[in-house]
Amino acid sequence: MPALNVEFSDRELEDLRQIAKERGTSMKALVREAAAADIARHRALQEGAAAFRQFFSSHADEFAAAFPDDEPPAKNEGRAA
């Protein structure tokens, strides 16, 4: 399995040791779990954003009708001739 060397300050390393000890786990497992949780959170946010974009684009006309003040001006609108 590929590995990654990560550098921590002395303070961070001591904090990791303490947290791992309190949780009854190894520092390696603690850091791996934290990274895996962040990866899962990132993926969920990406999926949520994609679902929102899909929903918004499929209902764009409804949003435009409901919130006309939030629509961008037309290309020729607002310019003096």
Side-chain angles (χ1 to χ4, degrees), residues 47-61:
E47 290 170 8
F52 173 79
R53 284 190 296 274
Q54 173 62 34
F55 178 82
F56 187 83
S57 65
S58 66
H59 293 36
D61 293 338

Side-chain angles (χ1 to χ4, degrees), residues 57-79:
S57 65
S58 66
H59 293 36
D61 293 338
E62 296 167 61
F63 281 107
F67 306 103
D69 292 342
D70 292 336
E71 287 297 298
K75 290 183 180 182
N76 295 330
E77 191 177 308
R79 291 187 176 184

Side-chain angles (χ1 to χ4, degrees), residues 4-57:
L4 173 68
N5 291 328
V6 180
E7 294 181 14
F8 295 98
S9 69
D10 291 339
R11 175 64 192 262
E12 291 168 334
L13 199 55
E14 185 54 39
D15 288 346
L16 284 171
R17 280 190 186 102
Q18 184 61 36
I19 294 167
K21 182 179 177 182
E22 289 172 7
R23 294 184 185 178
T25 190
S26 68
M27 289 175 40
K28 183 177 179 177
L30 180 69
V31 171
R32 187 176 188 305
E33 288 170 15
D38 195 52
I39 290 167
R41 179 182 167 275
H42 181 75
R43 286 180 183 158
L45 288 172
Q46 285 182 320
E47 290 170 8
F52 173 79
R53 284 190 296 274
Q54 173 62 34
F55 178 82
F56 187 83
S57 65

